[in-house]
Amino acid sequence: MESPPRPDDVRALDALFRARPEQFTATRNQLVAELQRAGKTSAAAEIAKLPRPTLLVWAINQVAHENRAAVDRLLAAADELKRGQLGRAPVEVSVAAKAYREAIAALVEKSLAHVTSAGHAITAAARNRLTGTLMAAATAPALRELLREGRLSREQTTTGFDVFGDAPPALRVVRSTKASEPGSREASPAPPPADREAARRRAEAQVRLETARADLARAESRARELAKAETELAKQAADAHQRATDARRAAAQGRADVARAQAKVRAAERSARDR
């Protein structure tokens, strides 16, 4: 019977997911060998199956290790949005959706910072893949804890997120629209599945719209920076060209001055010999 994981084993697993993608395989194989020597064959077999994370997954895992609070905020926001859409929370769905989008955006930016620090450029496709992975990991029961622990292994290609799961519809208490006693209330069912699906799609679309707007803003800012740099370099080139022209003229003048001085020397030498 294998012994339960020790703190050293947990730290080793954390170290595995903190390793750069190019170092992952060697680190994984070393950990597998150590577990096998310790008699933990089942754990070794499971870890041996772990695929090498992509750069984007690695970046998400780094944020989870370094900023657990940001991940917890995302998970809480996803839960609150789910409860709001099911009618189980006092918060407005629009408010919950905004908090969810902001939590996603914050983790996207933190993750992309790791991508750039690793020397890689950020593309719109990479941003969308990262956003989709975070959305799926924040809502899929099988991925939430992996996200929180910084142990994701794969990007998620799911474009949507299941905010409802298998939860049964909730009943919400609302004021009756019928003629009744003042203050009377009646139970009203939650929105039908079609309405919930539409709300889910709207939340998805809003996240992607804001992501696209952020990409556009960054692209426009970068374009302005490049245009400014181009103008400055063009000015510097023009100044350099003018300085080169002035230097050529000065050099030509210098050569002419030397020639005149040499002629004077030769004339003076001849005059000295004639005397």
Side-chain angles (χ1 to χ4, degrees), residues 61-266:
N61 287 336
Q62 304 322 296
V63 175
H65 283 287
E66 296 171 4
N67 197 332
R68 177 70 63 82
V71 176
D72 286 341
R73 281 193 293 274
L74 171 59
L75 297 177
D79 289 341
E80 189 71 3
L81 177 57
K82 179 177 180 178
R83 287 192 294 269
Q85 290 179 323
L86 289 172
R88 295 176 176 173
V91 67
E92 292 288 336
V93 172
S94 60
V95 175
K98 182 175 184 293
Y100 175 78
R101 293 193 302 269
E102 290 175 349
I104 285 284
L107 278 183
V108 167
E109 294 307 316
K110 291 179 187 298
S111 299
L112 290 177
H114 282 282
V115 174
T116 55
S117 69
H120 294 264
I122 298 171
T123 64
R127 181 181 291 275
N128 288 336
R129 284 161 51 201
L130 200 155
T131 301
T133 297
L134 280 170
M135 290 171 65
T139 54
L143 298 175
R144 285 167 60 92
E145 190 59 26
L146 293 177
L147 171 62
R148 188 171 185 276
E149 296 296 331
R151 295 177 186 172
L152 290 175
S153 296
R154 297 178 176 86
E155 292 182 27
Q156 302 301 314
T157 57
T158 304
T159 58
F161 61 99
D162 181 9
V163 295
F164 297 103
D166 298 323
L171 294 180
R172 292 189 295 179
V173 177
V174 298
R175 291 187 179 277
S176 173
T177 56
K178 300 177 181 179
S180 58
E181 294 297 327
S184 64
R185 295 171 180 263
E186 66 176 6
S188 176
D195 290 346
R196 297 202 301 270
E197 176 65 14
R200 180 185 70 78
R201 292 185 181 278
R202 283 196 299 272
E204 274 184 25
Q206 189 63 31
V207 170
R208 298 196 179 279
L209 173 60
E210 293 190 4
T211 298
R213 284 173 173 169
D215 287 340
L216 174 60
R218 274 183 289 271
E220 290 175 340
S221 176
R222 180 59 176 163
R224 287 193 296 270
E225 291 176 359
L226 292 174
K228 181 179 179 180
E230 179 188 19
T231 300
E232 182 62 26
L233 289 174
K235 181 177 182 300
Q236 293 176 4
D239 291 343
H241 179 74
Q242 185 60 50
R243 289 195 297 271
T245 300
D246 293 343
R248 284 193 294 271
R249 290 173 179 169
Q253 184 63 46
R255 288 192 293 271
D257 291 342
V258 169
R260 285 193 294 270
Q262 289 174 340
K264 290 179 179 180
V265 168
R266 287 194 294 270

